[in-house]
Amino acid sequence: VVTIATEENLPPVADAGGAYVVSVGEKVSFDGSFSGDLDGEIVSYQWHVEEGMMLQGEYVEYQYNKPGIYQARLTIMDDVGAESTDYAVITVNAAPIANVYPLKRVEPGQTVSFDGTSSKDPDGQIQDAWWNFGDDTPVREGLSAQHSFTIPGRYAVTLTVRDDSEASNNMD
């Protein structure tokens, strides 16, 4: 009588990490380190991050160049050849667009109204706005502001807007 002992291989468990939110052009740092294998070791991490793009490794980076919602697939393999797959959702946020109506020349001491209400966010909402008047006065909050310049000169006025995903952009 021959007795053969067999061990059942438990499959690994892939974990592609949580949801990722980045701005256009910002790299996503994918992390597969929470994946595991109870009865062996993981020998392969393969990330399918976009159509036709595969990356290898427990930690990889990838840059999406267009706003949108993407899905990345992590497939891991253990030392016996068993595989597991998990998915991560990546939201690539478009930066808000700061827009300022042009101004004509003003006299020193004249109060000027600055209007940034035509600023917008293509995939969300503008949450905050700041005006820097370029004359060492305190920054003012809001899409509209009034200001007077006391000293004659040229000033670079900057409106910075931030959206509900913490992305920001400015216009001089």
Side-chain angles (χ1 to χ4, degrees):
V1 173
V2 176
T3 305
I4 300 175
T6 61
E7 273 188 42
E8 183 178 333
N9 179 47
L10 297 174
V13 177
D15 187 337
Y20 299 90
V21 178
V22 295
S23 295
V24 172
E26 181 182 355
K27 288 184 179 179
V28 180
S29 296
F30 292 103
D31 180 354
S33 67
F34 289 103
S35 302
D37 188 19
L38 292 175
D39 61 353
E41 64 181 281
I42 299 170
V43 296
S44 171
Y45 295 81
Q46 187 173 55
W47 295 87
H48 181 252
V49 293
E50 199 168 21
E51 188 67 38
M53 178 58 68
M54 296 278 207
L55 303 173
Q56 300 286 332
E58 185 175 0
Y59 303 96
V60 298
E61 289 186 334
Y62 187 72
Q63 178 178 312
Y64 294 91
N65 293 315
K66 293 183 180 175
I69 298 175
Y70 298 85
Q71 182 174 311
R73 180 180 72 229
L74 169 63
T75 301
I76 61 171
M77 184 182 349
D78 71 10
D79 51 349
V80 182
E83 292 183 345
S84 176
T85 299
D86 190 32
Y87 298 87
V89 174
I90 304 93
T91 302
V92 180
N93 182 43
I97 300 164
N99 193 19
V100 179
Y101 290 110
L103 294 174
K104 296 181 179 181
R105 289 180 182 240
V106 297
E107 297 294 323
Q110 178 183 352
T111 299
V112 182
S113 294
F114 292 90
D115 184 358
T117 57
S118 65
S119 300
K120 59 186 174 193
D121 184 25
D123 60 2
Q125 295 180 350
I126 292 178
Q127 293 294 105
D128 300 299
W130 302 272
W131 293 92
N132 181 333
F133 298 104
D135 61 355
D136 295 325
T137 58
V139 171
R140 295 225 182 100
E141 291 186 32
L143 285 171
S144 299
Q146 291 190 334
H147 185 73
S148 61
F149 298 95
T150 56
I151 301 172
R154 288 181 167 249
Y155 296 95
V157 177
T158 303
L159 170 63
T160 302
V161 293
R162 184 173 60 198
D163 70 11
D164 52 350
S165 296
E166 300 296 315
S168 62
N169 201 356
N170 60 42
M171 179 179 183
D172 293 333

